[in-house]
Amino acid sequence: MASSTSFFTTLDGLWFQPTEHTRGPWDEHACHAGPPTGLLARAVEQLFPEHRLTRLTVNLQRPVPFDGFHVHASIVRQGRTVCLSEAHLVDRSGKTVITAAGMHLLPASPVEDMPSYQQDMGSPEQAAAGPFPIESTLHGQPAFNGAGVAVRYPAGQNNAPGPTRAWLKTVPLLDSETASPFQRICPLADCGNAFGRNAEPQDVTFMNTDLTLVLHRDPVGEWLGTDSVGYWETNGIGLADALLFDATGVVGRAMQTLVLRKN
């Protein structure tokens, strides 16, 4: 196994090899989708350095292979204020595994008297260390819920099923560079279905088929928070809805469409 101090290693910035921290909970040969989403954000951000990535939507067409993949990004529309991008994550055989669409906005000069609303979400210093919501995987191999992720729960919260508020800190995407704020929150953004689950994975699988992440401002700090809830329906379709925040307040939202299957 390559480096265990980051989610990925890379020699050229295009081909990425996952480490054990990236393995998903369902299949030992597939990745958790959060870290690869961070790499897709990285790819599209490089297209528009003067603009700010505000929304990223990823469609998970196939399991993300644990044996590595390429990431490619391209410009869809280059406007003065609004730019659009797309990216593809491609496996060794040339098959597209994930498609992503980005929206990039040109920041304006700060307006001091801008009317706003902010919600106090607490701080990680007021929370206590605890286990990742899914303590055991279906395969028993080192995975995303292991040493690469630290979790803290505010008073009255824990890793039991149900709506959950928590703080998360992860290893970096790459040892060789500092991730952008958008990239850093991607692993947490893809955890809403785990934190807000209504049952354990041994009883119900709750795999997400997509992730839409919207950030109205950049998150600050190592610890980032989620307030997650899962809406599960008897037709086997669900929605994970997560409010995302840092110690200053709310930064955005993440939503996942779920496929639910009783085990």
Side-chain angles (χ1 to χ4, degrees):
M1 178 67 62
S3 168
S4 60
T5 59
S6 62
F7 283 121
F8 301 99
T9 60
T10 183
L11 296 177
D12 58 7
L14 294 175
W15 177 267
F16 298 93
Q17 179 62 50
T19 71
E20 64 182 21
H21 302 310
T22 313
R23 184 182 280 112
W26 315 110
D27 180 354
E28 66 179 302
H29 302 295
C31 296
H32 187 283
T37 298
L39 293 180
L40 291 162
R42 173 183 179 272
V44 298
E45 282 183 317
Q46 293 174 354
L47 299 174
F48 305 108
E50 301 301 320
H51 290 65
R52 182 181 169 278
L53 180 59
T54 304
R55 186 192 71 206
L56 186 68
T57 297
V58 301
N59 291 310
L60 308 172
Q61 300 180 7
R62 296 180 175 88
V64 181
F66 193 68
D67 63 351
F69 49 80
H70 290 280
V71 175
H72 303 284
S74 59
I75 295 173
V76 174
R77 178 183 185 273
Q78 185 158 9
R80 185 171 63 178
T81 302
V82 181
C83 297
L84 303 177
S85 64
E86 65 180 15
H88 296 79
L89 189 151
V90 182
D91 68 14
R92 289 181 181 273
S93 68
K95 291 182 179 178
T96 296
V97 174
I98 300 178
T99 59
M103 174 179 284
H104 311 249
L105 302 182
L106 183 66
S109 300
V111 179
E112 294 183 1
D113 60 348
M114 178 69 74
S116 184
Y117 167 79
Q118 192 52 268
Q119 185 176 353
D120 182 9
M121 306 302 290
S123 71
E125 288 74 20
Q126 299 169 330
F132 190 76
I134 301 176
E135 294 190 66
S136 61
T137 65
L138 298 185
H139 48 70
Q141 297 296 315
F144 182 85
N145 65 334
V149 175
V151 183
R152 292 180 180 176
Y153 295 95
Q157 300 285 304
N158 54 45
N159 70 327
T164 301
R165 180 176 294 189
W167 296 88
L168 200 76
K169 181 175 72 170
T170 69
V171 295
L173 288 177
L174 299 163
D175 280 332
S176 57
E177 62 185 57
T178 300
S180 73
F182 201 108
Q183 295 166 35
R184 288 195 305 105
I185 207 169
C186 285
L188 170 63
D190 194 58
C191 289
N193 58 332
F195 280 103
R197 73 199 186 283
N198 297 315
E200 298 294 1
Q202 290 77 14
D203 300 318
V204 180
T205 58
F206 39 89
M207 293 182 291
N208 58 304
T209 61
D210 65 358
L211 169 65
T212 296
L213 173 56
V214 181
L215 298 183
H216 58 268
R217 73 169 174 87
D218 289 341
V220 178
E222 288 186 317
W223 288 93
L224 302 174
T226 178
D227 198 343
S228 306
V229 61
Y231 301 98
W232 292 11
E233 300 298 334
T234 57
N235 61 6
I237 298 173
L239 170 68
D241 184 8
L243 191 67
L244 304 177
F245 53 89
D246 60 16
T248 302
V250 175
V251 301
R253 202 166 206 104
M255 299 179 67
Q256 302 161 293
T257 306
L258 309 180
V259 173
L260 309 170
R261 296 293 184 265
K262 292 272 295 202
N263 294 330

